[in-house]
């Protein structure tokens, strides 16, 4: 009844240079006035990663290797654990990354769902009624009071009392968080689970698909596979420490071309007592640089030959592609590595990811004049360093 009249508004057709750029906070993952989702299986380290991202944004320090565009106050709503558990994780994070108290004081705010639930959606009478949003206005008011620029909700499922398999109901809860983001100007990160036993994939996100559909950016956190561990020289007993982050959805920016890798480091808090002399050991997320995957023979000359061949392209003014499948087929750069270096299919894929992450290869758009199409190809923008050579040999 109180809605404003609906009218068709003429497009202003502004000069492109006059349009403000998107207000990214953290890489191309977190952006003001939009919702992002981090999806992962249980026990992988998503809470540790979300807290580390929060600390990076609060301090302005790229502690995980991703660019922090703006340092803003951050509010972490851990709706599952007691407050002291978040205190342990934060203390370990600060110790490992050498973050001083002054860098976070007045910049990082915490809330525990054990102390007070936060309900962004519930049914008015518990069954079949329209969804209400009991705490939406309270969250907006509290965020505005502290000038919050990033709100982390961990996990999303604890922020509502709805049927998580109902697209209509989950869309209402996700929309409420989007409204919080719009009204506060903050970025919102929703931490979410995959279904038990499902692979770490955006389609395997637990419950209704409406949540990931509503997000403007989504990332998948997954444990290192056995094949990846073997390829990268990680001992089986250490594999659990290594996790990879992949873009699963990027509506507002191009997807990253390679996964980001992290290692779960164990940090001792030094808080032993007479009853618990060992104190607490807490897992902390830290960047991990993947070693270059050498040819099976360790022949670096073969890698150089393959790199030069990729730079030359397959001919006909075409460029090799980082991706395979579909019409790309013969243009996949992995075929060059398999032919020259004797790599397996998987080793070739990992080698390309590594070169992209290290800046040795870069993706760029070009015009396929024969087919009159715009394509994405690879060009060589770096070289194998002497240090890399010695490591491979």
């Amino acid at each position: 009844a109180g809605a404003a009249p609906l009218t068709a508004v003429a497009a202003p057709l502004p000069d492109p240079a006059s349009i403000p750029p998107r207000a990214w906070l953290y890489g191309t993952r977190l952006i003001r006035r939009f919702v992002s989702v981090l999806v992962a299986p249980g026990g992988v380290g998503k809470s540790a990663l979300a807290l580390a991202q929060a600390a990076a944004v609060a301090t302005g320090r790229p502690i995980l290797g991703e660019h922090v565009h703006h340092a803003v106050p951050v509010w972490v709503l851990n709706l599952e654990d007691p407050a002291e558990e978040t205190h342990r994780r934060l203390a370990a994070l600060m110790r490992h990354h050498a973050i001083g108290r002054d860098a976070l004081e007045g910049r990082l705010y915490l809330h525990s769902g054990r102390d007070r639930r936060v309900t962004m959606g519930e049914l008015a009478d518990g069954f079949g009624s329209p969804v209400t949003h009991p705490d939406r206005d309270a969250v907006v008011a509290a965020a505005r009071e502290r000038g919050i620029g990033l709100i982390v909700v961990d996990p999303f499922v604890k922020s509502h009392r709805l049927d998580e398999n109902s697209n209509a109901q989950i869309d209402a809860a996700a929309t409420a968080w989007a409204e919080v983001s719009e009204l506060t100007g903050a970025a919102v990160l929703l931490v979410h689970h995959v279904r038990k036993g499902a692979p770490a994939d955006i389609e395997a996100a637990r419950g209704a698909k409406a949540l990931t559909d509503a997000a403007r950016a989504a990332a998948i956190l997954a444990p290192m596979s056995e094949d990846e561990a073997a390829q990268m020289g990680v001992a089986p007993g250490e594999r659990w420490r290594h996790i990879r982050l992949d873009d699963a959805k990027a509506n507002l920016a191009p997807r990253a071309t390679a996964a980001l890798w992290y290692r779960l480091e164990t940090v001792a808090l030094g808080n032993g007592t007479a009853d618990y002399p060992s104190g607490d050991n807490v897992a902390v997320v830290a960047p991990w640089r993947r070693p270059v995957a050498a040819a099976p023979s360790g022949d670096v000359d073969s890698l150089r030959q393959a790199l030069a061949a990729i730079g030359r392209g397959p001919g006909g003014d075409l460029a090799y592609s980082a991706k395979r499948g579909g019409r790309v087929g013969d243009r996949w750069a992995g075929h060059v590595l398999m032919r020259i270096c004797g790599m397996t299919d998987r080793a070739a894929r990992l080698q390309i990811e590594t070169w992209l992450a290290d800046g040795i290869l870069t993706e760029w758009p070009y015009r396929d004049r024969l087919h009159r199409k715009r394509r994405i190809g690879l060009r060589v923008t770096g070289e194998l360093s002497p240090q890399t050579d010695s490591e491979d040999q």
Side-chain angles (χ1 to χ4, degrees):
L6 181 63
T7 59
V9 178
L13 307 178
D15 177 356
S18 70
I19 302 174
R22 294 186 175 110
W24 294 103
L25 289 181
Y26 183 81
T28 54
R29 303 191 188 282
L30 304 175
I31 180 172
R32 285 184 179 273
R33 299 171 58 196
F34 287 96
V35 170
S36 300
V37 174
L38 172 62
V39 178
V44 171
K46 57 186 175 295
S47 293
L49 177 63
L51 186 61
Q53 291 178 342
V57 173
T59 62
R61 289 178 49 188
I63 60 175
L64 296 182
E66 293 197 81
H67 181 62
V68 181
H69 298 274
H70 300 285
V72 297
V74 179
W75 191 13
V76 177
L77 306 175
N78 188 311
L79 304 181
E80 195 164 47
D81 300 317
E84 65 180 19
E85 187 57 35
T86 303
H87 297 166
R88 291 187 185 96
R89 292 173 182 165
L90 181 58
L93 180 73
M94 293 172 66
R95 172 169 288 192
H96 183 78
H97 291 287
I99 300 173
R101 293 173 58 91
D102 56 339
L104 287 176
E105 197 163 7
R107 307 282 301 169
L108 182 64
Y109 299 88
L110 304 176
H111 176 83
S112 170
R114 298 283 187 97
D115 298 329
R116 182 196 184 279
R117 290 199 62 163
V118 173
T119 304
M120 201 54 61
E122 67 179 6
L123 299 177
D125 63 2
F127 181 79
S129 298
V131 175
T132 62
H133 310 286
D135 287 325
R136 179 181 54 195
D137 294 343
V139 170
V140 169
R144 284 175 170 172
E145 180 184 2
R146 299 295 189 182
I148 300 297
L150 168 63
I151 301 172
V152 178
V153 183
D154 181 15
F156 165 73
V157 69
K158 293 291 186 178
S159 73
H160 64 81
R161 301 180 184 183
L162 302 170
D163 178 1
E164 70 173 0
N165 294 308
S166 166
N167 273 305
Q169 293 184 26
I170 293 305
D171 181 67
T175 298
W177 280 116
E179 290 169 348
V180 169
S181 184
E182 177 66 30
L183 292 169
T184 61
V188 171
L189 174 61
L190 303 178
V191 181
H192 194 47
H193 300 275
V194 299
R195 298 188 302 274
K196 286 186 177 180
D201 182 87
I202 195 66
E203 299 301 326
R206 179 170 145 178
K209 194 172 181 293
L211 174 61
T212 52
D213 286 346
R216 287 297 170 263
I220 295 288
L221 188 66
M224 176 181 280
S225 69
E226 292 183 4
D227 287 346
E228 287 168 335
Q231 171 63 30
M232 297 181 185
V234 175
E238 290 289 298
R239 180 168 66 91
W240 67 272
R241 291 185 180 274
H242 298 80
I243 53 180
R244 63 178 287 163
L245 185 69
D246 291 272
D247 283 343
K249 178 179 181 181
N251 285 0
L252 302 179
R255 289 190 184 184
T257 55
L260 293 177
W261 284 95
Y262 305 106
R263 177 180 163 89
L264 294 173
E265 304 289 355
T266 301
V267 176
L269 295 187
N271 60 343
T273 65
D275 291 332
Y276 306 100
S278 298
D280 292 316
N281 293 288
V282 181
V284 169
V285 171
W288 183 68
R289 186 179 179 85
R290 301 167 301 171
V292 173
S297 64
D299 184 0
V300 180
D301 287 339
S302 295
L303 288 174
R304 286 203 179 96
Q305 292 174 27
L307 192 62
I310 292 170
R312 289 193 297 269
D317 292 327
L318 294 173
Y320 283 109
S321 171
K323 299 177 177 62
R324 66 174 308 168
R327 295 183 179 179
V328 172
D330 295 339
R331 292 189 297 109
W332 182 50
H335 292 310
V336 178
L337 287 161
M338 294 168 70
R339 183 179 71 252
I340 296 177
C341 301
M343 289 187 178
T344 65
D345 182 292
R346 188 172 190 84
R349 179 177 62 80
L350 292 172
Q351 181 68 76
I352 293 168
E353 286 187 3
T354 299
W355 279 346
L356 283 167
D358 291 344
I360 294 173
L361 290 177
T362 304
E363 288 188 306
W364 66 292
Y366 71 97
R367 182 73 178 173
D368 179 348
R369 288 181 291 181
L370 178 62
H371 299 94
R372 298 180 181 180
K373 290 183 177 181
R374 181 179 179 273
R375 299 189 185 277
I376 302 296
L378 287 172
R379 59 182 173 185
V380 178
T381 52
E383 59 184 19
L384 301 184
S385 67
Q387 181 180 3
T388 298
D389 294 350
S390 65
E391 288 174 354
D392 288 339
Q393 292 173 336

